[in-house]
Amino acid sequence: MDWNDYDAALFDLDGVITPTAEVHETAWGRMFNDFLAGHPDAEPYTDADYFAYVDGKPRYEGVRSFLESRGIELPYGDPSDDPAAETVCALGNRKNDYFREVLRTEGVEAYPGSIRLLDALEERGVKAALVSSSRNARPVLEAAGITERFEVIIDGEVAAAEHIAGKPRPDTYAAAAERLGVPTQRSVVLEDAVSGVQAGAAGDFGLVVGVDRGAGAETLRENGADVVVSDLAELL
């Protein structure tokens, strides 16, 4: 690819800029396995379930998607629900508690290849936005010390407050491009999640880059990635 063809890079966070996808995956597994202990007839949670039902989606949508795969019905509840309750929102809140605990105790560092690409794009004058379904995006960016690298941040908090539809809809990426003042056709979406590349493919973006951190290169291509890399430094 030739970066001269583009004026903006729209980055997902977890698994693209920082290895927090691994922390999310661990937190989801712990939460669902604890929950399924009370549903012994349901199939156990596996790593494949993370990529199939959870990865890249807004938190409560991930909970609902997984529960549907097991035929388990729970009240949706409210985002203010106690994490100990048994509602979709409560399970999402429980997962978030696990995630924040790991982030607090272990911290996070950005992928070196991602920082190299951000440096190169800054030198070229290509604008950068951060587009994440996570409501923890800003704490993660702060923990990694890279908040200032992104001119625009559209995260789960912004999407909820402004009623912007989440991935796999393209709306959050389109909103980021608009706020950067760059046409979508001149913007590149960089994603590691199936729902994220689907979002890129559903919009009128110049290019969709899949970052294979476990979803599988062929799967990312099948769902809309034009290019697949295993590290962002490959795009230099």
Side-chain angles (χ1 to χ4, degrees):
M1 63 177 293
D2 185 350
W3 281 105
N4 291 321
D5 295 332
Y6 308 104
D7 300 315
L10 314 176
F11 295 89
D12 178 43
L13 175 61
D14 303 319
V16 175
I17 298 296
T18 58
T20 36
E22 299 167 10
V23 181
H24 281 291
E25 190 172 354
T26 299
W28 280 112
R30 180 178 171 189
M31 184 276 288
F32 279 132
N33 284 321
D34 287 351
F35 171 75
L36 290 175
H39 296 76
D41 294 334
E43 288 288 323
Y45 175 83
T46 68
D47 291 345
D49 290 318
Y50 173 76
F51 294 107
Y53 304 113
V54 172
D55 189 23
K57 295 179 182 176
R59 189 189 316 151
Y60 303 135
E61 290 305 309
V63 174
R64 183 156 55 184
S65 179
F66 173 77
L67 294 180
E68 287 176 353
S69 77
R70 297 305 194 265
I72 298 173
E73 293 185 11
L74 290 181
Y76 184 78
D78 184 84
S80 64
D81 285 353
D82 187 305
E86 288 217 349
T87 66
V88 168
C89 289
L91 292 184
N93 294 344
R94 195 181 309 174
K95 176 264 170 182
N96 194 50
D97 285 349
Y98 292 155
F99 176 85
R100 285 180 177 256
E101 178 183 341
V102 176
L103 186 65
R104 183 176 61 253
T105 57
E106 299 183 12
V108 66
E109 291 186 8
Y111 290 109
S114 301
I115 295 299
R116 287 177 59 198
L117 180 61
L118 283 169
D119 289 342
L121 295 183
E122 185 175 350
E123 290 178 8
R124 287 176 173 269
V126 176
K127 297 181 178 182
L130 193 288
V131 183
S132 173
S133 297
S134 176
R135 290 173 179 258
N136 290 306
R138 285 187 178 274
V140 169
L141 291 172
E142 289 166 7
I146 55 173
T147 306
E148 73 286 350
R149 303 302 299 265
F150 302 96
E151 185 174 333
V152 167
I153 297 174
I154 305 282
D155 61 5
E157 296 286 357
V158 172
E162 300 185 18
H163 306 288
I164 305 172
K167 306 167 189 178
R169 292 279 299 275
D171 302 43
T172 49
Y173 277 115
E178 181 180 4
R179 292 179 194 195
L180 287 175
V182 177
T184 53
Q185 300 95 327
R186 297 282 301 178
S187 303
V188 178
V189 169
L190 301 101
E191 261 285 355
D192 70 315
V194 168
S195 60
V197 296
Q198 288 174 338
D204 189 21
F205 299 100
L207 193 73
V208 179
V209 176
V211 186
D212 183 16
R213 307 284 194 192
E218 190 56 37
T219 297
L220 293 173
R221 289 190 186 94
E222 289 173 354
N223 283 277
D226 300 306
V227 176
V228 176
V229 298
S230 59
D231 188 275
L232 294 191
E234 296 172 43
L235 299 173
L236 292 170

